[in-house]
Amino acid sequence: MSGATLFDKIWNAHAVADLGDGYALLHVDRHLLHDLGGGRAVMDIKEKGLALRNPGLTFATPDHAISSAPGRAGTSETGKRLLNDLRTLSHEYGVRLFDVGEPGQGIVHVIGPELGLSLPGALIVCGDSHTCTHGGMGALAFGIGSSEVTHVLATQCLIQRRPKRLRVSFEGARAAGVTPKDMILYLIGRIGAAGGTGYAVEYAGGAVRALELEGRLTLCNLSIELGAKMGMVAPDDTTFAYLAGRDFAPKAELWDEALAYWRRLPSDDDAVFDREERIDMAAVAPQITWGTSPEQVIAVSERIPDPAGIADPGKRRAAEAALAYMGLAPGTPIAGTRIEHVFIGSCTNSRLSDLRAAAAVAKRGKVAPHVRAWVVPGSETVKRQAEAEGLDRIFRAAGFDWREPGCSMCLAANGETVPRGERSVSTSNRNFVGRQGPGARTHLASPAMAAAAALAGAIADVRTFGG
Amino acid sequence: MDKFTQLKAIAAPLLRENVDTDIIVRIERLVGATFRNELGRYAFEAWRLRPDGTEDPDFVLNREPYRSAQILLALDNFGCGSSREGAVWALKQRGFRAVLAPSFGDIFFNNCYQNGVLPVIMPNSAVQALARQVEADPGRKLVTVDLVRQVVVAPDGGETAFAIDRLRREALLDGLDDIGLTLKRESEIAAFQAQDRARRRWIWAVETGR
């Protein structure tokens, strides 16, 4: 019999009951609530007359609907009500809340790893599709819908169908200017936005092993943009070094127990995956999206594709519609395309390493006069650390706005939008029609590429950008 | 949960790939939304409405007879992206009870079952063939989705069988709620947790503080 994969080991360890036909009742180790749906979900079990089964495994923080303006000015009445509901219900049910202004607050997928709540071998869910981010810790983590959130609150379990297993091996070394964001965007461009549908993805290979922990979180974050609701990286010494000493990570003899357990998690040498993909890192350059799906992506040095050259009729029509929406002409180089907005933030790219990479570019010049450029740190802790090393001053001196932590303009749930017809380079995860606001045109890229675009006032190749 | 057994209805062809849940319903329509039954009018608004707020007559759901369609024909990866269950609520409020597509976003797929909406996985060629028949005479060419027999019946009577997990099929046919089913397993959950507290003490340490 062949060995088990990382995914199999975690799945099997959480199966409370086999429901037949590949379905299992799975135990949830960490349930994260946010302001958009958290209060509503707790209210839901209250109305149904149910108990919150394990409040001690449930954690909450506001991120989606709060303003990122200094002092949180401009949080809407609705946003305030959602925050208030989250506070009241967390208190009533004994759920630990990381509130505005205190360490621990931030984007759910930034604070989980940062606090040491997200652990290797854990099963983590949240009513947000980018929960796959926590897979970078070696956890099995995935996004769920509102009904499933209610289900977890009431039972601490979830009914799921076992997905197939896909291993993506990134072999070789990253070239200069190539970041984890570029690796995952390149993969999505190669196998498509539906390429991972129905799979749990394990990212492997030398280029993944070489990544720092935060880079692994970025890699796993875009699994859902690949169609896969779960993405993961095997835990190793990088993971353990990151976790050691974090607030909610196990301590003393529990740390030793955990470590012994975690070291057994990586896929066995003879484990078999349902599918394998291999990416040669020599082919991966800094990426930028040109369309309205993350699969519509090219290297920044390339030209905007001509739909006439796309054989598949569905992809061709999608490309035509995307170019019309994006206001782009086929065949022209994408570098040099004028932009009006830059957003550096989101659960994809708002961690300290992201801000350092962006600041390294920002210090080389000034934001172009016609560009509004925002930096929104992923958490209160990231914000404080960045300020302690002076990154905020670099950004401000270059003309960036330095803002309060939250989801902000990634999805515009708090009213922070890119105006209709205007163009943004964003370090977030979705370039969908209207994602950053009705009619907004979004290009996804890495933090360094976004900073270069802010200074150039146009899409720019970070490798050749002089500032 | 609403039951689903059999549906004979107008089917609207929305033949696009990668239709994401942001396009199905915008996030600001869901922020603080108290009443799920108000969401139907926001379904696909970025495609249904022009910037000035008037209807775009070219969009399929603005054309007769598709305004009253209850079945949606779609292409690969329908419902990809955000986990927002509001996408299903908006579709359902708009009248849709079944979506036929070659593949679905995984989270959207689960969310459908929680709301009595049936996602049917059909080959691309079968969806396209259905769309061609429907478009030939949209007013009269109804499509049947039969969950009891697990077939889709085209207007010309041709049948395509589809697969569905037993658990999901039974829940839809009987209108069962997942929470109700899981609560019956409380003793198993309690036993699992008791064992797990000993087996993985480190995962449970958060309960008692740092």
Side-chain angles (χ1 to χ4, degrees):
Chain A
M1 209 180 98
S2 59
T5 66
L6 167 65
F7 164 81
D8 294 318
K9 293 178 190 183
I10 305 180
W11 179 282
N12 294 345
H14 290 83
V16 173
D18 181 352
L19 305 178
D21 293 341
Y23 278 82
L25 185 66
L26 297 175
H27 186 262
V28 172
D29 299 333
R30 301 284 185 266
H31 186 194
L32 307 175
L33 301 174
H34 55 72
D35 51 350
L36 212 53
R40 180 62 247 173
V42 178
M43 210 105 78
D44 205 29
I45 58 163
K46 197 172 183 176
E47 286 164 10
K48 287 185 160 85
L50 300 166
L52 203 172
R53 198 182 187 296
N54 288 96
L57 302 180
T58 312
F59 300 86
T61 194
D63 57 2
H64 280 68
I66 51 171
S67 165
S68 72
R72 304 290 181 188
T75 298
S76 68
E77 288 309 310
T78 305
K80 287 177 191 162
R81 177 167 59 79
L82 292 173
L83 173 57
N84 196 44
D85 287 351
L86 192 66
R87 281 175 177 155
T88 312
L89 290 159
S90 295
H91 182 73
E92 184 179 338
Y93 282 84
V95 170
R96 176 67 190 260
L97 171 76
F98 303 98
D99 209 340
V100 171
E102 65 181 30
Q105 184 272 332
I107 306 173
V108 273
H109 314 311
V110 175
I111 68 155
E114 172 186 285
L115 290 167
L117 285 169
S118 308
L119 300 174
L123 195 146
I124 303 168
V125 300
C126 172
D128 187 284
S129 61
H130 290 108
T131 307
C132 49
T133 309
H134 308 256
M137 303 295 301
L140 182 59
F142 52 95
I144 57 178
S146 319
S147 297
E148 291 178 317
V149 169
T150 306
H151 189 284
V152 176
L153 289 174
T155 67
Q156 202 58 31
C157 291
L158 201 54
I159 296 172
Q160 291 290 300
R161 184 187 178 181
R162 194 178 190 116
K164 291 177 285 184
R165 298 150 304 178
L166 163 62
R167 179 163 59 190
V168 180
S169 301
F170 290 87
E171 298 297 353
R174 275 190 288 150
V178 175
T179 70
K181 180 71 163 286
D182 302 302
M183 292 166 65
I184 188 69
L185 282 175
Y186 179 84
L187 174 67
I188 296 167
R190 276 283 299 272
I191 71 173
T197 303
Y199 290 92
V201 183
E202 180 176 340
Y203 302 100
V208 173
R209 292 265 69 82
L211 287 179
E212 292 299 320
L213 198 282
E214 292 185 354
R216 298 176 184 184
L217 297 173
T218 300
L219 195 67
C220 290
N221 175 270
L222 270 85
S223 299
I224 187 70
E225 269 39 84
L226 192 65
K229 74 176 179 182
M230 306 161 185
M232 54 214 307
V233 172
D236 59 11
D237 288 340
T238 301
T239 322
F240 310 144
Y242 173 91
L243 270 173
R246 295 205 175 250
D247 283 1
F248 290 84
K251 303 282 174 353
E253 81 279 7
L254 290 185
W255 172 264
D256 297 333
E257 270 184 44
L259 203 55
Y261 186 97
W262 296 341
R263 289 197 189 280
R264 293 193 297 269
L265 286 172
S267 295
D268 298 331
D269 290 341
D270 58 344
V272 176
F273 289 78
D274 297 287
R275 186 176 142 205
E276 299 254 16
E277 294 284 343
R278 189 176 184 282
I279 298 294
D280 177 4
M281 287 302 295
V284 185
Q287 304 284 300
I288 185 140
T289 62
W290 54 268
T292 55
S293 165
E295 72 178 28
Q296 293 169 325
V297 63
I298 51 178
V300 66
S301 50
E302 290 184 284
R303 289 171 186 272
I304 295 162
D306 187 345
I310 300 175
D312 180 280
K315 301 268 182 225
R316 186 166 61 238
R317 276 196 303 275
E320 286 164 355
L323 289 180
Y325 179 82
M326 294 296 289
L328 294 172
T332 51
I334 197 158
T337 304
R338 183 185 160 99
I339 58 133
E340 290 87 25
H341 303 268
V342 165
F343 174 63
I344 296 172
S346 86
C347 56
T348 312
N349 281 130
S350 63
R351 300 178 183 85
L352 194 58
S353 56
D354 299 315
L355 303 190
R356 284 175 181 158
V361 175
K363 70 165 71 152
R364 298 181 356 214
K366 297 274 186 225
V367 172
H370 66 276
V371 171
R372 176 185 69 162
W374 284 12
V375 183
V376 180
S379 72
E380 183 66 28
T381 299
V382 169
K383 183 186 168 215
R384 292 184 188 189
Q385 288 172 337
E387 288 175 350
E389 55 185 79
L391 301 184
D392 61 321
R393 291 193 296 281
I394 294 173
F395 284 122
R396 284 198 173 107
F400 288 81
D401 283 8
W402 177 251
R403 299 178 68 91
E404 298 289 335
C407 303
S408 183
M409 220 193 293
C410 168
L411 80 166
N414 64 349
E416 293 168 356
T417 60
V418 172
R420 183 180 294 278
E422 297 193 10
R423 191 178 300 285
S424 109
V425 172
S426 177
T427 66
S428 55
N429 37 58
R430 288 183 176 140
N431 52 347
F432 297 160
V433 167
R435 173 76 175 180
Q436 292 194 291
R441 294 162 167 169
T442 302
H443 296 267
L444 304 176
S446 73
M449 285 275 289
L455 270 52
I459 293 171
D461 188 338
V462 69
R463 295 168 301 182
T464 53
F465 176 71
Chain B
M1 193 181 73
D2 293 342
K3 291 183 185 184
F4 189 108
T5 50
Q6 194 206 58
L7 172 68
K8 185 173 187 179
I10 292 167
L14 182 67
L15 300 183
R16 306 190 196 204
E17 295 184 347
N18 299 325
V19 172
D20 58 74
T21 53
D22 272 79
I23 205 83
I24 297 174
V25 67
R26 291 192 47 74
I27 194 70
E28 70 259 28
R29 305 304 187 191
L30 300 175
V31 177
T34 326
F35 301 105
R36 295 176 183 185
N37 57 10
E38 288 178 354
L39 294 173
R41 62 191 161 117
Y42 299 127
F44 299 111
E45 65 179 305
W47 286 341
R48 275 196 308 110
L49 303 179
R50 294 182 287 210
D52 65 2
T54 60
E55 282 194 354
D56 180 348
D58 291 336
F59 185 60
V60 60
L61 299 183
N62 286 336
R63 301 204 302 263
E64 295 297 349
Y66 303 124
R67 282 178 187 278
S68 45
Q70 291 175 272
I71 299 168
L72 199 59
L73 306 178
L75 298 184
D76 258 320
N77 208 20
F78 186 85
C80 62
S82 160
S83 59
R84 62 190 68 172
E85 198 161 319
V88 181
W89 303 335
L91 285 177
K92 193 175 178 188
Q93 277 303 314
R94 186 105 196 144
F96 292 105
R97 289 299 306 278
V99 185
L100 283 45
S103 63
F104 292 88
D106 286 342
I107 305 174
F108 175 85
F109 191 70
N110 276 3
N111 287 342
C112 282
Y113 289 118
Q114 306 293 333
N115 292 277
V117 172
L118 175 62
V120 178
I121 297 174
M122 286 179 83
N124 185 295
S125 57
V127 175
Q128 303 267 9
L130 267 182
R132 278 194 298 276
Q133 282 194 41
V134 164
E135 283 169 333
D137 186 2
R140 289 188 294 168
K141 301 218 160 172
L142 302 182
V143 172
T144 302
V145 179
D146 189 336
L147 181 59
V148 180
R149 293 173 54 228
Q150 285 183 233
V151 289
V152 172
V153 187
D156 69 0
E159 295 193 349
T160 307
F162 64 86
I164 177 171
D165 295 313
R166 180 187 50 82
L167 197 80
R168 296 305 190 193
R169 179 172 177 271
E170 286 172 5
L172 279 176
L173 288 174
D174 298 335
L176 299 177
D177 177 287
D178 274 0
I179 296 180
L181 294 173
T182 301
L183 286 171
K184 289 181 189 163
R185 293 181 178 270
E186 171 53 31
S187 61
E188 284 171 83
I189 298 169
F192 177 94
Q193 289 195 341
Q195 271 187 349
D196 198 52
R197 281 174 198 276
R199 191 175 57 105
R200 295 188 306 155
R201 292 196 300 160
W202 50 272
I203 209 83
W204 292 90
V206 291
E207 280 189 317
T208 47
R210 301 181 180 194

